[in-house]
Amino acid sequence: MDSRLSLEGMAGEAKGLSEEERVAARKILLAISAGAREMAGLLASGPLGGLTGASGAVNVQGEEVQTFDEIAQDVFTRTLRGSASVALLVSEEREDPEVLGGGSGSFHVAMDPLDGSSNLAVSGPVGSIFCVFRPSSRKTGEPSTDVLAAAVSPVMAAYVLYSVSTLLVVSFGQEVRQFALDLSRGEFLPLPGPVRFPEKGSKIVSLNAGNASRWREGDQRYLRSLDGTAYTARYVGALVMDFHRNLLKGGLYLYPGDLPKDSRGTGHPEGKLRLLYEAIPMAWIARAAGGEAVDGHRPILDVPPVHIHQRVPLVVGTASLVADYLRIATTP
Ligand code: AHG
Ligand code: MN
Ligand code: MN
């Protein structure tokens, strides 16, 4: 096995894809890497350009849109359109799927163009997340329905981490590879791999304990169970960064649902994170790296997608830590 497989090499060796699909997947990967390179430059000079604040708009999720959310939306829509391989593009920042190139591309893509955008104001790490689906044969002519039918079978997932270095992490389902942006060449170069959650890794737990009083009893019990045990708390508030650290070092990321409103909760039992462009791609990558991802009960990859902006509780990381979570949180 080549420990330093190139981006093109990864697409070329992807299992279970037709030759035509491999070509399309390669073009999508190159479009993601071109967009990521552009974003890395823009983000680095963001504070000087006065670009790190809110745009004034509110998105489909009811959240304040940052200027960089919109910039990332434009950058990746442009590069993915240019790949001529994407039929429908779903984004956190757009209410409806966008038809690209007349809808004739080989794949659908769901993306979170900029993840962790609250970190922008403090020059903290942010990310971008992508999930690539094979269009379902059950074409309905209604883009949202077509994407939902397809979303259960991803063929590729990737994320970009913009931090001390800019990394691109990719999986076609069999393994996970990392690439780092070489600023002098403007290219993503392979790092040794594949990457797997370490068998005897750390026990890092990443969660927002400030929300705990709104969680369901099982999640609160899990948090209490950590007290006095040997674990390390780390939380950046950007899923990409929190996931990536735990992938390399060993750990668990938890963003649970809240209690219903009448029980001191917020009435958001599904939590905050989105199924199509946050939970499914991270679950797909976690699985390929020997980890696991659940919604609190069942595997994320078994959750039926019913809405393109559907939210879902997410517990993802080292398989044994997810198993510990399930044992403690689901057994009163
Ligand atoms: P986004 O910026 O795409 O809306 O996602 C932010 C998400 C996720 O990245 C992060 O882990 C989580 O929100 C943090 O939420 P809290 O501030 O509630 O902890
Ligand atoms: Mn996000
Ligand atoms: Mn986002």
Side-chain angles (χ1 to χ4, degrees):
M1 192 193 304
D2 187 348
S3 81
R4 289 186 188 254
L5 204 54
S6 67
L7 275 176
E8 281 103 328
M10 257 197 106
E13 288 189 10
K15 295 206 171 63
L17 268 63
S18 68
E19 204 40 52
E20 189 190 331
E21 287 178 329
R22 286 207 183 102
V23 171
R26 180 177 154 273
K27 288 184 182 165
I28 290 174
L29 215 37
L30 293 177
I32 291 171
S33 65
R37 184 177 60 220
E38 188 173 338
M39 282 305 299
L42 291 167
L43 286 163
S45 51
L48 292 172
L51 295 175
T52 50
S55 72
V58 171
N59 72 9
V60 52
Q61 327 279 338
E63 294 158 354
E64 190 180 60
V65 175
Q66 303 292 311
T67 302
F68 264 123
D69 286 322
E70 271 307 310
I71 293 174
Q73 169 70 25
D74 291 348
V75 165
F76 287 113
T77 303
R78 168 164 43 77
T79 62
L80 288 169
R81 180 180 281 118
S83 76
S85 301
V86 181
L88 293 174
L89 177 61
V90 168
S91 169
E92 179 189 2
E93 302 302 332
R94 293 291 179 270
E95 188 159 2
D96 297 312
E98 188 168 348
V99 181
L100 301 186
S104 59
S106 299
F107 293 112
H108 297 333
V109 174
M111 70 172 177
D112 177 355
L114 199 90
D115 173 64
S117 51
S118 69
N119 283 341
L120 288 166
V122 296
S123 289
V126 291
S128 302
I129 309 174
F130 302 88
C131 202
V132 178
F133 309 105
R134 184 179 277 132
S136 143
S137 50
R138 289 185 283 132
K139 282 217 173 358
T140 62
E142 210 286 296
S144 290
T145 317
D146 280 358
V147 169
L148 292 170
V152 287
S153 54
V155 298
M156 197 262 277
Y159 62 80
V160 184
L161 170 64
Y162 312 95
S163 186
V164 171
S165 41
T166 301
L167 299 182
L168 172 58
V169 174
V170 183
S171 179
F172 281 88
Q174 289 90 37
E175 58 178 29
V176 179
R177 299 268 175 174
Q178 290 192 87
F179 303 84
L181 180 61
D182 179 333
L183 290 173
S184 61
R185 293 164 64 158
E187 290 179 53
F188 281 90
L189 301 180
L191 294 176
V195 188
R196 291 183 68 77
F197 285 94
E199 296 288 335
K200 289 194 166 57
S202 327
K203 183 175 174 183
I204 295 173
V205 178
S206 308
L207 48 79
N208 187 342
N211 294 334
S213 64
R214 308 199 304 242
W215 295 349
R216 282 177 286 233
E217 172 53 23
D219 294 302
Q220 297 197 24
R221 185 163 58 243
Y222 176 71
L223 181 57
R224 286 196 304 270
S225 78
L226 297 170
D227 200 21
T229 67
Y231 80 103
T232 298
R234 291 281 184 274
Y235 189 73
V236 161
L239 172 63
V240 167
M241 178 76 257
D242 284 311
F243 175 92
H244 187 71
R245 182 196 50 248
N246 295 352
L247 168 63
L248 297 191
K249 294 192 161 187
L252 174 133
Y253 174 95
L254 169 64
Y255 207 109
D258 291 339
L259 285 160
K261 263 201 176 102
D262 54 7
S263 328
R264 292 176 59 226
T266 58
H268 295 302
E270 305 310 328
K272 178 178 182 187
L273 300 180
R274 277 57 57 108
L275 181 64
L276 260 63
Y277 39 84
E278 291 179 318
I280 290 180
M282 291 319 210
W284 176 255
I285 291 170
R287 278 262 180 99
E292 187 51 284
V294 298
D295 70 348
H297 300 277
R298 61 195 158 163
I300 287 289
L301 297 172
D302 291 349
V303 176
V306 293
H307 188 280
I308 62 169
H309 297 295
Q310 179 176 345
R311 295 178 193 260
V312 70
L314 177 64
V315 190
V316 61
T318 301
S320 60
L321 298 180
V322 174
D324 288 348
Y325 165 86
L326 285 173
R327 185 172 39 77
I328 296 163
T330 61
T331 322

